[in-house]
Amino acid sequence: MTPQVSAFRWVPPFAQGYALDHRVRWALEEAGLPYDVILVDREILDGSEYRAWQPFGQVPAYRDDQVELFESGAIVLHLARQSEALAPTTAAGFARVTAWVIAALNSVEPHAKNFVGLETFHAGEPWVKDYRPVAESGLRRKLTGLNVWLENREFLEGRFTAGDIVMSTVLRELTDSGILNDYSATRSYVDRCVSRPAFQRAIQAQLEDYKRNTPPGISD
Amino acid sequence: MTPQVSAFRWVPPFAQGYALDHRVRWALEEAGLPYDVILVDREILDGSEYRAWQPFGQVPAYRDDQVELFESGAIVLHLARQSEALAPTTAAGFARVTAWVIAALNSVEPHAKNFVGLETFHAGEPWVKDYRPVAESGLRRKLTGLNVWLENREFLEGRFTAGDIVMSTVLRELTDSGILNDYSATRSYVDRCVSRPAFQRAIQAQLEDYKRNTPPGISD
């Protein structure tokens, strides 16, 4: 069977290009693998059938001939086991890629989300002003370490890997905040990653699905 | 060479038994592998030699004959590639274990940390009162999904795997808050995991290192 990836039928414009099926589409594009999209909405996500596939009711979930999976990082790593475009074939090389995928998802993303949420989902809420310095200092500690690492490297492990897919999509959420201007090696790294043709094709595919499924009365 | 794991020379009593080298020690114990500990302190963590090993200056880092690694989840997965005690040997089985490791680290732990931090690191700070319901509802959404999954399962994938090491150590941080009392399948799951002899040996080994290195004038 052709691999299947779940994706939202439609999301509001501010979220378009950011829903996490995009990471999986990007990995599939880098690997040159075809895939089918299973479009879902809130009702499907909360149903018991989908929850048996994705226990938290999140996007994306994935299946192929071998396995049903969830968590974008795990799906990307599963694809990386099958394609040298996404990771070296040695156990050591694959373990290094795993380290970066998990660093992105556990050491960087929680801080990035806490920080970005202040200006978006939680803008104007009463706790935001006093919490901002807490969130910002947590994030800056991680960006400082990452930026030193990236100073003499084109990609996290020298060559492009699945680790860069996950790390750059995490960092890309910070672009609008301007904070990456203080970390120039990191900022150019993100630019380098998102200028890859496979990234662009993945975004385009996600946006076209939304366009085809825009609810009546909404322009976009 | 014997695998090496970095660990804190000493931490204050509230953090003893929780520093994340414990996850790696637990995996090594389950796999029956010997290991050496490299004790570190803040000065070492911020030095360029350690940062070349662990870019964020965190504990644990790991090395063996094959590879140098960081991120507890990635180290545990690397060990799981080598030991059937930690994961099935099939690509599909390993991918499922990876999904749970990443679910623990990205879907659950960020919410657990935000919630637990309110009563510990940030107790009494001005933003805490208004932020609490935000943090709590984010965490409860994840616990609800996980609890349904665990209702008819002894471990996440039926048998014990590396996914349970990471998930149960994430959830264990919530014990004192009492929130797990609302999720009984999850609470008994955590009890089941932490009663394993390998968990106990790993905790004991960490505590013994601290005991040997207690700073003068401190009792513990």
Side-chain angles (χ1 to χ4, degrees):
Chain A
M1 67 181 277
T2 307
Q4 296 180 337
V5 183
S6 71
F8 292 107
R9 193 181 304 283
W10 184 81
V11 299
F14 77 88
Q16 297 191 0
Y18 290 90
L20 294 181
D21 54 285
H22 168 259
R23 281 184 190 148
V24 177
R25 293 178 193 253
W26 184 6
L28 287 158
E29 291 283 352
E30 293 280 356
L33 294 170
Y35 63 97
D36 289 330
V37 175
I38 309 287
L39 294 177
V40 298
D41 53 27
R42 179 45 52 198
E43 197 183 326
I44 292 170
L45 292 174
D46 286 338
S48 58
E49 196 184 331
Y50 191 84
R51 292 282 175 141
W53 188 16
Q54 210 307 348
F56 303 100
Q58 296 169 169
V59 159
Y62 169 94
R63 66 165 64 91
D64 61 21
D65 281 329
Q66 287 187 288
V67 67
E68 293 205 343
L69 279 180
F70 56 98
E71 293 290 338
S72 62
I75 300 165
V76 165
L77 282 171
H78 172 65
L79 296 170
R81 282 285 288 273
Q82 301 162 53
S83 169
E84 213 170 335
L86 295 171
T89 54
T90 61
F94 185 80
R96 294 283 309 172
V97 171
T98 304
W100 283 114
V101 166
I102 292 184
L105 295 174
N106 191 252
S107 287
V108 182
E109 193 176 53
H111 296 280
K113 273 195 174 169
N114 282 348
F115 181 72
V116 169
L118 301 176
E119 308 290 349
T120 53
F121 297 113
H122 301 298
E125 293 181 24
W127 51 277
V128 164
K129 186 176 150 289
D130 289 318
Y131 180 64
R132 185 187 313 279
V134 177
E136 183 170 336
S137 77
L139 175 60
R140 284 190 183 276
R141 270 198 299 278
K142 304 302 174 174
L143 291 177
T144 300
L146 182 64
N147 200 62
V148 171
W149 183 267
L150 285 169
E151 262 159 14
N152 298 302
R153 291 177 171 93
E154 191 178 0
F155 296 107
L156 292 165
E157 288 291 296
R159 57 153 282 190
F160 181 83
T161 73
D164 300 300
I165 290 181
V166 182
M167 186 65 86
S168 67
T169 48
V170 164
L171 294 168
R172 176 176 168 254
E173 307 252 354
L174 296 168
T175 307
D176 287 351
S177 75
I179 197 170
L180 293 183
N181 294 338
D182 298 340
Y183 306 92
S184 69
T186 305
R187 205 178 69 157
S188 16
Y189 163 74
V190 177
D191 291 346
R192 215 149 43 232
C193 291
V194 304
S195 66
R196 294 174 71 84
F199 172 94
Q200 300 294 341
R201 288 196 300 274
I203 287 277
Q204 214 42 49
Q206 188 189 70
L207 297 181
E208 279 163 20
D209 280 336
Y210 297 149
K211 210 174 181 86
R212 265 193 296 277
N213 295 290
T214 305
I218 290 184
S219 64
D220 220 355
Chain B
M1 66 181 278
T2 308
Q4 297 181 337
V5 183
S6 71
F8 292 108
R9 191 182 305 284
W10 185 82
V11 299
F14 77 88
Q16 296 189 3
Y18 290 90
L20 294 181
D21 55 285
H22 168 258
R23 281 182 189 150
V24 177
R25 294 179 194 252
W26 184 6
L28 288 158
E29 292 283 353
E30 293 280 358
L33 294 170
Y35 62 97
D36 289 331
V37 174
I38 309 288
L39 295 176
V40 297
D41 53 26
R42 179 46 52 199
E43 195 183 327
I44 291 170
L45 292 175
D46 287 337
S48 57
E49 197 184 329
Y50 191 84
R51 293 283 174 140
W53 188 15
Q54 209 309 347
F56 304 99
Q58 298 168 168
V59 159
Y62 170 94
R63 65 165 65 91
D64 61 22
D65 282 329
Q66 287 187 290
V67 68
E68 293 205 342
L69 279 181
F70 56 99
E71 294 290 338
S72 62
I75 300 165
V76 165
L77 282 171
H78 173 65
L79 295 170
R81 283 284 288 273
Q82 301 162 54
S83 169
E84 213 171 335
L86 295 170
T89 53
T90 60
F94 185 81
R96 294 283 309 173
V97 171
T98 304
W100 283 114
V101 166
I102 292 185
L105 294 174
N106 191 253
S107 287
V108 182
E109 193 176 51
H111 297 280
K113 273 195 174 167
N114 282 348
F115 181 71
V116 169
L118 301 175
E119 309 290 349
T120 54
F121 295 114
H122 302 297
E125 293 181 25
W127 51 276
V128 164
K129 187 176 149 289
D130 289 318
Y131 179 64
R132 185 187 313 278
V134 176
E136 184 171 334
S137 76
L139 175 59
R140 284 190 183 272
R141 268 197 300 278
K142 304 301 175 176
L143 291 177
T144 300
L146 182 64
N147 200 63
V148 171
W149 183 266
L150 285 169
E151 263 159 13
N152 299 302
R153 290 177 172 94
E154 191 177 1
F155 295 107
L156 292 166
E157 287 292 297
R159 56 153 284 189
F160 181 83
T161 73
D164 300 301
I165 291 182
V166 182
M167 185 66 84
S168 67
T169 47
V170 164
L171 294 169
R172 178 175 167 254
E173 306 253 353
L174 296 168
T175 308
D176 287 351
S177 75
I179 198 169
L180 292 184
N181 295 337
D182 298 340
Y183 305 91
S184 69
T186 304
R187 205 178 69 158
S188 18
Y189 163 75
V190 176
D191 291 345
R192 215 148 43 233
C193 291
V194 305
S195 65
R196 293 174 71 84
F199 172 94
Q200 301 293 340
R201 288 197 298 275
I203 287 276
Q204 215 42 51
Q206 187 189 71
L207 296 181
E208 279 164 19
D209 279 336
Y210 297 149
K211 210 174 182 86
R212 266 193 296 277
N213 294 291
T214 305
I218 289 184
S219 66
D220 222 353

